[in-house]
Amino acid sequence: MLGTVVNSIAIIAGGTIGTLLKVGIPERFKNIVMQGVALSVMIIGISSGLQFNNLMVAIVSLVIGGVIGEALDIEGYLNKLGDVLQKKLSKDNSSTISKGFVTASLVYCIGAMAIVGSLKDGLSGDHSILFAKSVLDGISSIIFASTFGIGVVFSAISVFLYQGSISLGASFLQGLLTKPVIDDMTAVGGVLIFAISLNMLEIKNIKVGNLLPAIFIPIFYQILLNMIKGF
């Protein structure tokens, strides 16, 4: 859990700095910086999305995960939580606190580094990937918060719960987390990151939160394979 704790602190620190800088940055600079970040997120998504072991597993995972997420309405709950934060922290209805919380939470939780780093943290106590992620998230949170505001800081809670759960559960799933499974999980995460970039660029509004369960479908596929082999 040490890697996750450090990661959360880095986001809080960076988000706080970005929020303080928000007032002094002209709107046109905020827009161009956010477009640059969105394009960077897009490249990360594409590179991760091509790391699949089995393309059909990745496709089926997105379909099944999307159905599960839509039924649970994960995106709706994230937005409601963001709206609660916005109402508590700002009286301005045009505030971007909610959007900042949801966007940052998804960006920081979905990536390959979040998944693989948390797994290594839980399985072997290797914090190196999450420490590297902490540096990247800390820097990007400054940029996000300078545009969206303090909502980015609260995404540290999402990161702590998400990565912490993966780290704690990793030991129970050790036998299932083979390299092919992790590769397919990473690929699905990459597709979702690409989708986030489309949302950030306002090209298409994709319910990325409702696609989150797709990341874990490759694990259930591996369980199914093991059951078939057992017969």
Side-chain angles (χ1 to χ4, degrees):
M1 288 287 288
L2 178 60
T4 294
V5 171
V6 171
N7 197 172
S8 301
I9 293 174
I11 293 171
I12 293 172
T16 301
I17 294 172
T19 301
L20 295 175
L21 293 174
K22 186 176 188 293
V23 179
I25 301 177
E27 195 64 31
R28 61 192 183 96
F29 285 103
K30 293 178 186 177
N31 290 336
I32 195 64
V33 167
M34 187 49 59
Q35 288 171 358
V37 172
L39 291 172
S40 300
V41 170
M42 181 179 289
I43 294 299
I44 293 171
I46 292 173
S47 62
S48 297
L50 294 175
Q51 294 183 29
F52 59 84
N53 173 71
N54 187 325
L55 180 57
M56 286 306 301
V57 171
I59 293 173
V60 172
S61 294
L62 287 165
V63 173
I64 295 176
V67 171
I68 294 173
E70 187 67 27
L72 297 174
D73 194 19
I74 297 173
E75 180 99 348
Y77 283 112
L78 279 174
N79 285 325
K80 286 178 183 177
L81 181 55
D83 290 340
V84 169
L85 290 173
Q86 184 161 306
K87 290 177 181 178
K88 293 286 185 181
L89 300 172
S90 175
K91 296 181 180 179
D92 183 4
N93 291 329
S94 63
S95 173
T96 56
I97 291 175
S98 179
K99 186 176 181 180
F101 167 74
V102 175
T103 301
S105 293
L106 292 173
V107 169
Y108 297 147
C109 290
I110 290 175
M113 294 182 80
I115 298 170
V116 178
S118 298
L119 291 175
K120 286 196 172 186
D121 194 4
L123 292 174
S124 62
D126 181 356
H127 314 302
S128 57
I129 293 179
L130 289 185
F131 284 167
K133 180 177 181 290
S134 298
V135 175
L136 296 174
D137 289 356
I139 294 172
S140 62
S141 65
I142 296 175
I143 300 172
F144 277 132
S146 68
T147 301
F148 292 127
I150 198 170
V152 174
V153 173
F154 289 93
S155 68
I157 300 174
S158 303
V159 169
F160 181 80
L161 294 175
Y162 177 80
Q163 292 183 180
S165 298
I166 293 176
S167 294
L168 292 175
S171 58
F172 299 102
L173 299 173
Q174 187 170 5
L176 297 171
L177 296 172
T178 60
K179 187 179 185 302
V181 172
I182 293 176
D183 286 346
D184 287 334
M185 291 175 69
T186 298
V188 173
V191 174
L192 300 192
I193 289 176
F194 180 81
I196 292 172
S197 71
L198 297 182
N199 288 347
M200 293 173 68
L201 291 169
E202 299 182 351
I203 295 174
K204 177 70 176 178
N205 184 27
I206 299 173
K207 295 181 180 179
V208 180
N210 286 353
L211 288 166
L212 276 175
I215 295 176
F216 303 99
I217 298 299
I219 297 176
F220 293 97
Y221 173 75
Q222 185 62 44
I223 293 174
L224 181 61
L225 279 184
N226 291 346
M227 289 175 63
I228 293 174
K229 290 176 182 178
F231 287 118

